[in-house]
Amino acid sequence: MLNKTQIKVRGYHLDLFQHVNNARYLEFIEEGRWAFFDEFFERDDWMQEDFVWPVVNININFKSEANFGDLLEVQTHYTKIGNRSITMKQTIVKLPDNDIVVEADVTYVCFSKAAKSAIPFPDDIRQKVEQSIASLE
């Protein structure tokens, strides 16, 4: 599954150099992840479960700048699942030409609030993630 979320660059996204500030891209990819989860999970009850999804690593490569008024698209999909961790690829492109602005790999873990530690993914979620990865290959 590939989720596509559009964001229009606003004035408050800009820095002194009049292009999108690097910290804003973290917010953009986070918005992309939440939109992905809205589509991936059928209901919001996954937020009520014992487990949560803390981000443990983000690797981000800035390829080109975005400016006021640009229409960006955050493309989000799973790329790898381990026993307790999962990695997403997120790419921000500038529309309509699909010029790559940012590429990021985001890793997070399945974390038990009760146990206060990372736990293996529940089987139903693991299967759904594996199907999502396979659908893009």
Side-chain angles (χ1 to χ4, degrees):
M1 183 186 101
L2 174 67
N3 177 272
K4 297 179 179 183
T5 303
Q6 292 187 356
I7 297 172
K8 185 169 183 177
V9 176
R10 305 293 184 187
Y12 65 92
H13 296 137
L14 307 180
D15 61 16
L16 294 173
F17 302 107
Q18 296 301 300
H19 61 245
V20 174
N21 182 279
N22 65 77
R24 291 293 182 170
Y25 291 113
L26 292 172
E27 294 173 354
F28 293 170
I29 63 175
E30 183 171 18
E31 179 64 30
R33 284 193 306 279
W34 279 99
F36 180 93
F37 293 145
D38 284 346
E39 189 177 333
F40 186 77
F41 293 101
E42 295 170 11
R43 301 177 304 276
D44 288 336
D45 21 325
W46 66 277
M47 289 290 290
Q48 307 307 316
E49 299 285 338
D50 172 52
F51 53 89
V52 292
W53 312 85
V55 171
V56 295
N57 185 278
I58 296 178
N59 292 307
I60 188 166
N61 292 304
F62 303 97
K63 301 292 190 175
S64 64
E65 68 181 21
N67 298 289
F68 179 76
D70 286 344
L71 183 59
L72 305 178
E73 182 175 85
V74 183
Q75 301 170 351
T76 304
H77 62 93
Y78 289 124
T79 57
K80 181 173 68 171
I81 186 167
N83 186 39
R84 297 176 182 171
S85 67
I86 192 166
T87 302
M88 290 184 135
K89 177 69 158 185
Q90 293 191 272
T91 305
I92 300 176
V93 299
K94 194 182 315 181
L95 298 177
D97 298 327
N98 290 321
D99 294 332
I100 297 175
V101 177
V102 165
E103 291 181 320
D105 292 307
V106 181
T107 303
Y108 51 95
V109 297
C110 186
F111 189 88
S112 166
K113 294 184 278 187
K116 295 188 184 322
S117 67
I119 60 170
F121 282 95
D123 288 338
D124 59 331
I125 292 177
R126 172 177 295 286
Q127 290 173 353
K128 192 168 182 177
V129 170
E130 288 171 346
Q131 289 171 353
S132 176
I133 292 170
S135 73
L136 295 172
E137 294 177 344

